[in-house]
Amino acid sequence: MLNYIWAGLIAFSLVFALASDIRDYGHEPQAVVATTGPAGTTVATAPGHFLKLQAITAAATDFAQKAVEISIGLIGVLALWLGLMRIGEKSGLIGILVKVIQPVLRPLFPEIPKDHPALGMIALNLSANMLGLGNAATPFGIKAMEELQKLNPSGDTATNPMVMLLALNTACVQFVPPATLVALMGVQTSRIYFPIVTVTAGCAIVAIIVTKLLGRMWVYRRTDPNRAPVLVDNG
């Protein structure tokens, strides 16, 4: 579904740019502007037409290339943290973590059975986010969703624990500023530390409250996979 949405947005942008360029075609040809980066822009003297269409096409191509580069770059991160996670599972550390963190997470995820591995993955995911380890939080979040899907009687509808985990990840509570921000701002990061903690903590509280309230509404409860009857196709 997301692919269709992106394709529709790109098609709409191209049509809009083409219509705008056709409208401006009879006017003075526009100058070609080439962006050279943060240092400034270089304006070429050669005039041209259909510049909006060219700009959108170039932007779509560039961002498609960046998406591939980001995906390839994540392979190493995923391999590292998923490997460490596997070691933790085999050694029993995940089980110990589940027993320690269970009293805190159980009120947020009451549908998850006691001592289930999903609680450990959720704890690792949220901890990585709080400590500003965004790259480590990604594989933990993926693994947590995989464990939650094992408890899901439906193949295409999210359960309440899935929604809660997504809401908490969107809020992304930060007790330690991300490493990228520290690298960019240095000691100046301390000036925005309190706003970061305050805003993200407030977002987490709002996310928890809204998720719980929506989960109690009839319109959502009737589609809850853990409550709605699952139809079995007997052929």
Side-chain angles (χ1 to χ4, degrees):
M1 177 61 70
L2 190 59
N3 292 334
Y4 293 111
I5 294 175
W6 280 114
L9 290 174
I10 293 175
F12 177 79
S13 300
L14 291 175
V15 171
F16 179 81
L18 180 61
S20 179
D21 284 331
I22 292 175
R23 181 191 62 190
D24 298 336
Y25 188 81
H27 298 81
E28 186 72 19
Q30 306 170 46
V32 180
V33 180
T35 303
T36 58
T41 57
T42 301
V43 181
T45 56
H49 291 287
F50 297 102
L51 298 183
K52 295 183 180 67
L53 185 63
Q54 296 175 27
I56 291 178
T57 304
T61 304
D62 291 342
F63 277 101
Q65 180 180 351
K66 291 182 185 298
V68 174
E69 293 173 354
I70 292 173
S71 301
I72 294 176
L74 283 175
I75 292 177
V77 176
L78 291 173
L80 171 63
W81 290 106
L82 288 175
L84 293 176
M85 189 187 317
R86 189 64 175 170
I87 294 173
E89 290 178 349
K90 292 292 186 180
S91 64
L93 291 177
I94 299 297
I96 296 174
L97 177 62
V98 170
K99 293 183 181 298
V100 172
I101 203 69
Q102 197 162 230
V104 179
L105 293 181
R106 286 291 294 172
L108 298 178
F109 302 92
E111 295 91 347
I112 301 178
K114 186 178 180 181
D115 297 332
H116 194 276
L119 290 172
M121 302 306 167
I122 292 172
L124 290 172
N125 171 252
L126 297 180
S127 299
N129 273 326
M130 292 178 183
L131 297 176
L133 305 175
N135 289 337
T138 302
F140 292 148
I142 294 174
K143 187 64 176 177
M145 282 295 184
E146 290 179 355
E147 293 293 335
L148 292 176
Q149 181 58 35
K150 295 178 182 178
L151 302 172
N152 189 359
S154 172
D156 58 0
T157 304
T159 59
N160 287 337
M162 288 180 168
V163 176
M164 178 62 74
L165 177 59
L166 181 61
L168 290 175
N169 270 269
T170 304
C172 194
V173 180
Q174 297 276 313
F175 291 135
V176 177
T180 305
L181 183 62
V182 175
L184 291 174
M185 299 187 62
V187 296
Q188 297 297 323
T189 309
S190 60
R191 299 177 58 183
I192 61 173
Y193 175 77
F194 183 73
I196 289 176
V197 174
T198 304
V199 172
T200 56
C203 290
I205 294 173
V206 172
I208 293 171
I209 294 174
V210 172
T211 302
K212 288 291 186 181
L213 290 177
L214 291 179
R216 295 177 180 274
M217 295 178 62
W218 178 82
V219 67
Y220 294 106
R221 284 168 64 90
R222 66 186 180 89
T223 59
D224 185 354
N226 290 323
R227 293 179 179 272
V230 180
L231 300 179
V232 180
D233 185 4
N234 294 322

